[in-house]
Amino acid sequence: MINKKRFIAVIGGGQPSSQEVKMAEEVGRQLARQGVILVCGGLGGVMEAACKGASSEGGMTVGILPGDSRQAANSYVQMPIVTGIGYARNVAVVKSAQAVIAIGGSYGTLSEIAHALQSGIPVIGLNTWSLTRNGQQDNSIIPAQNPAEAVNKALNLAKHQ
Amino acid sequence: MINKKRFIAVIGGGQPSSQEVKMAEEVGRQLARQGVILVCGGLGGVMEAACKGASSEGGMTVGILPGDSRQAANSYVQMPIVTGIGYARNVAVVKSAQAVIAIGGSYGTLSEIAHALQSGIPVIGLNTWSLTRNGQQDNSIIPAQNPAEAVNKALNLAKHQ
Amino acid sequence: MINKKRFIAVIGGGQPSSQEVKMAEEVGRQLARQGVILVCGGLGGVMEAACKGASSEGGMTVGILPGDSRQAANSYVQMPIVTGIGYARNVAVVKSAQAVIAIGGSYGTLSEIAHALQSGIPVIGLNTWSLTRNGQQDNSIIPAQNPAEAVNKALNLAKHQ
Amino acid sequence: MINKKRFIAVIGGGQPSSQEVKMAEEVGRQLARQGVILVCGGLGGVMEAACKGASSEGGMTVGILPGDSRQAANSYVQMPIVTGIGYARNVAVVKSAQAVIAIGGSYGTLSEIAHALQSGIPVIGLNTWSLTRNGQQDNSIIPAQNPAEAVNKALNLAKHQ
């Protein structure tokens, strides 16, 4: 069944550094080579770079958009989902995946990390947020040193979802 | 660009008549043969029958689910989108499409018809609701006599979206 | 307990006729006199007229807004709820009430009627939609001839919710 | 206009420590004495304690619920808003407020903090999350040492919203 395929979300900011763009493209390429379907928020920055990387390797990309029109999707989104629910769509981005890779990102990305952790969906981080909870470090975001490590960890953890 | 592909939503009830099941399967088959991506709410009844028909012709199916798990998707959904927002996902089902085909259905289907019309997305009806607004007939739901006519009308109207 | 208070939603269009405005104001006044909390979508037209009527009798008004700012609320909304989820907020408008009074209205109102009926919440109609389902009249929308009758019917039905 | 009233959200976990319960009650009491309307997610733990405190001082409490029934509201919620959208309601909790006070909390609370910061709504923290973004401390969550300080800071910041 194709719906047994793994879906991995790539989340990150709309204003990434050039290093983050490169990481996102590489993550996208590696996910595509593994036959994974890439889910994201459908807009620019990290989302666009990841979709571009995945597309370059023939991978499938899903963009879950906040607004009312699929015209807002970046040009590498093959499956634009138009929610019309604004940032509440962040919940759907992570819930549609069996693991999440966070690259950089601002508060929108942080909300997606939080929604994923709340739902028990593993989060792998590249240059992203780290968390301290009432003075104690929270290690729920699994760090990765590079795109290859992030993809490997995400694939391993997604198996158990 | 694959995201210039047409997306058509098939909506209808979870408890269809056997005639509605046949119509939904035929609509799914014909959409798939036209290279259209089928969007639906991902659950049983009309949604499942349409996905089954589309799958039998190699078509792509997207199921935008109300709950928290992709396990709820019918087995012909290839792209399960897990929203976690309950029936508010009805908005996303229709907004993700350039035209909607309604087959039978109860109040959930009626809410999708209404959200589509509110967003200016054309709705084609097979054995479904008809509307009277403060005593005057509303002809916004475009009737079709059979699946072939419904698909033809949907494709023609989707071009203008 | 104040949260045992009855909440009744008043739904209707942003562009009402002058007759609908008068009916909405009168419905608002009568709900307020009964100690009912008025819930609506928070914007103009029928929503504003109902809130104005309720406020003139010292009633409480809740406006569940689609956008990102409470500035969009009409000036008679005392409790602006800012959802940021667009028309998906229609679901929350009706689910927050034990009965719904629909006055006129277009497709947005129709979507709220449908979501209410789907959730088993009674709908009373004044000059609003009527429904035919696959050729058979659907009598779920309970007609009222005037605001007093609408409020009476809504209060009676709300008791059983 | 009553809708110029200040709304302040109190967010926090469903499983608070006894210290957090005391803080939440005190925050609720102080907000009520200032005439502020308390907004929360409507459930137990910190939400219930804050509503209890506010109610004891005659304050108004709004609970924006994730599920389909107002029966899930804690017994101190005076205005239960029933969204039916699950954790996507976290967005509405913070957007309905001009400032947010976070007390302890887990990933749900973290998602609310993130949505607030994304929307430019100030967040004051009591024993809650602290954030590091790609190795650099993020000071967006304004710390408070006790409930009185949290309420003072929230009121001051809410004025500018």
Side-chain angles (χ1 to χ4, degrees), chain A residues 7-150:
Chain A
F7 284 58
I8 290 181
V10 178
I11 62 175
Q15 314 276 341
S17 69
S18 60
Q19 189 202 8
E20 289 165 355
V21 168
K22 281 180 197 164
M23 290 193 296
E25 284 192 25
E26 182 60 21
V27 164
R29 278 192 293 267
Q30 297 209 14
L31 289 173
R33 283 185 213 128
Q34 299 289 336
V36 170
I37 293 171
L38 187 155
V39 182
C40 71
L43 302 178
V46 159
M47 298 169 264
E48 184 167 8
C51 290
K52 186 179 176 187
S55 293
S56 73
E57 295 285 331
M60 172 67 80
T61 59
V62 178
I64 302 180
L65 295 158
D68 289 316
S69 164
R70 68 171 179 168
Q71 306 305 325
N74 72 62
S75 48
Y76 306 100
V77 169
Q78 293 163 33
M79 290 279 158
I81 306 297
V82 181
T83 69
I85 60 170
Y87 287 113
R89 74 77 154 87
N90 292 7
V91 177
V93 171
V94 297
K95 278 187 183 288
S96 296
Q98 287 81 54
V100 174
I101 298 173
I103 302 171
S106 184
Y107 300 118
T109 302
L110 179 61
S111 77
E112 293 173 314
I113 291 171
H115 284 299
L117 295 175
Q118 185 180 29
S119 298
I121 300 166
V123 177
I124 292 89
L126 279 166
N127 291 16
T128 192
W129 293 93
S130 57
L131 306 172
T132 305
R133 183 178 175 170
N134 197 7
Q136 293 211 300
Q137 203 174 330
D138 177 296
N139 295 313
S140 298
I141 303 174
I142 297 156
Q145 299 307 314
N146 54 56
E149 189 186 335

Side-chain angles (χ1 to χ4, degrees), chain B residues 107 115 128 130 132 134 138 140, chain C residues 107 115 128 130 132 134 138 140:
Chain B
Y107 300 117
H115 285 298
T128 192
S130 58
T132 305
N134 197 6
D138 177 295
S140 298
Chain C
Y107 300 117
H115 285 298
T128 192
S130 58
T132 304
N134 198 7
D138 176 295
S140 298

